[in-house]
Amino acid sequence: MFQRTRKVACPHCNGANFWHGNPRPTDVLHCRYCDAAVIRYDDYVEQAARREAERLIAEFVETDVSRELAHLKAVLAAPEGRPGQ
């Protein structure tokens, strides 16, 4: 998938659980500590894809405004960087 861990925390006891092998989309992960149903594999994949997409978008969208302004000032301060020069 995304070369990410398949570790899932139980919403009831917060125990660490893992998918093993190649689960089917309808397989449900049960907590190894409290035996509660944690998540279906297709839901897990959808959530993981959404988190990865959000992470990638944030990586390319977020910028350091102060650094960008400093660079812009430096470019405009240089004689060859001024428009019309």
Side-chain angles (χ1 to χ4, degrees), residues 7-79:
K7 178 180 171 182
V8 182
C10 176
H12 304 286
C13 71
N14 207 30
N17 298 279
F18 301 89
W19 292 100
H20 296 288
N22 192 16
R24 294 184 305 254
T26 57
D27 285 351
V28 176
L29 180 64
H30 290 277
C31 181
R32 62 185 174 159
Y33 301 102
C34 68
D35 204 34
V38 178
I39 192 168
R40 276 182 18 172
Y41 189 66
D42 59 348
D43 293 333
Y44 165 77
V45 170
E46 182 180 331
Q47 289 177 12
R50 183 165 300 168
R51 281 191 306 271
E52 183 69 7
E54 289 170 357
R55 185 191 68 78
L56 286 172
I57 289 170
E59 182 179 319
F60 290 104
V61 170
E62 291 179 3
T63 59
D64 183 0
V65 175
S66 60
R67 185 179 56 140
E68 295 294 325
L69 285 174
H71 178 69
L72 180 60
K73 286 179 183 178
V75 168
L76 292 176

